[in-house]
């Protein structure tokens, strides 16, 4: 996942407090700052669930540290929310398209950069 002017987000591993426990993993900015909860190691067993959690944590970090909505819908300039759409985690925008109902799916999570290609 990438942010304009911020560089890529990164997963940061922090040692756990107890010996023998798995390390904590956070989603951080390129400069190493992070916010929010660490990710639970057992979520890795369910990749769709893990993606949802990483996405959530990434959004948390961006919103709290940069005070900006992210990612933005290119059509409406609105912050989008991750939503499960028929089993695929997707970015959902509340903006209304002409001729359509309120809200639309912008892209699958992880596919935003490719969706901008001409
Ligand atoms: Zn939109």
């Amino acid at each position: 996942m990438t942010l304009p002017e911020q560089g890529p987000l990164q997963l940061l591993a922090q040692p756990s407090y107890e010996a023998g426990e798995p390390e904590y993993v956070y989603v951080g900015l390129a400069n190493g700052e992070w916010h929010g909860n660490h990710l639970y190691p057992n979520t890795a067993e369910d990749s769709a669930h893990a993606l949802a959690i990483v996405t959530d944590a990434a959004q948390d970090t961006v919103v709290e540290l940069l005070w900006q909505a992210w990612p933005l819908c290119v059509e409406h300039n609105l912050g989008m929310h991750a939503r499960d759409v028929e089993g695929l985690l997707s970015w959902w925008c509340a903006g209304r398209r002409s001729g359509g109902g309120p809200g639309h799916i912008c892209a699958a999570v992880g596919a935003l950069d490719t969706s901008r290609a001409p």
Side-chain angles (χ1 to χ4, degrees):
M1 284 184 255
T2 52
L3 282 163
E5 296 161 28
Q6 291 290 336
L9 295 172
Q10 55 181 342
L11 289 173
L12 303 167
Q14 303 284 330
S16 62
Y17 303 116
E18 309 260 344
E21 293 281 304
E23 60 196 1
Y24 296 138
V25 178
Y26 298 87
V27 178
L29 302 178
N31 67 6
E33 282 188 276
W34 52 265
H35 176 91
N37 297 325
H38 65 83
L39 314 173
Y40 292 91
N42 59 4
T43 55
E45 291 164 15
D46 177 350
S47 64
H49 189 209
L51 177 61
I53 288 175
V54 170
T55 302
D56 229 44
Q59 227 173 359
D60 238 34
T61 295
V62 171
V63 171
E64 292 297 327
L65 296 179
L66 303 178
W67 292 89
Q68 67 181 51
W70 173 86
L72 292 175
C73 171
V74 290
E75 288 177 51
H76 300 103
N77 209 35
L78 291 171
M80 297 189 288
H81 300 276
R83 244 190 210 192
D84 191 310
V85 180
E86 291 168 12
L88 182 67
L89 195 66
S90 305
W91 291 115
W92 185 85
C93 165
R96 184 182 284 268
R97 277 175 166 166
S98 59
H104 66 92
I105 299 299
C106 189
V109 168
L112 272 182
D113 288 338
T114 50
S115 72
R116 266 189 230 119

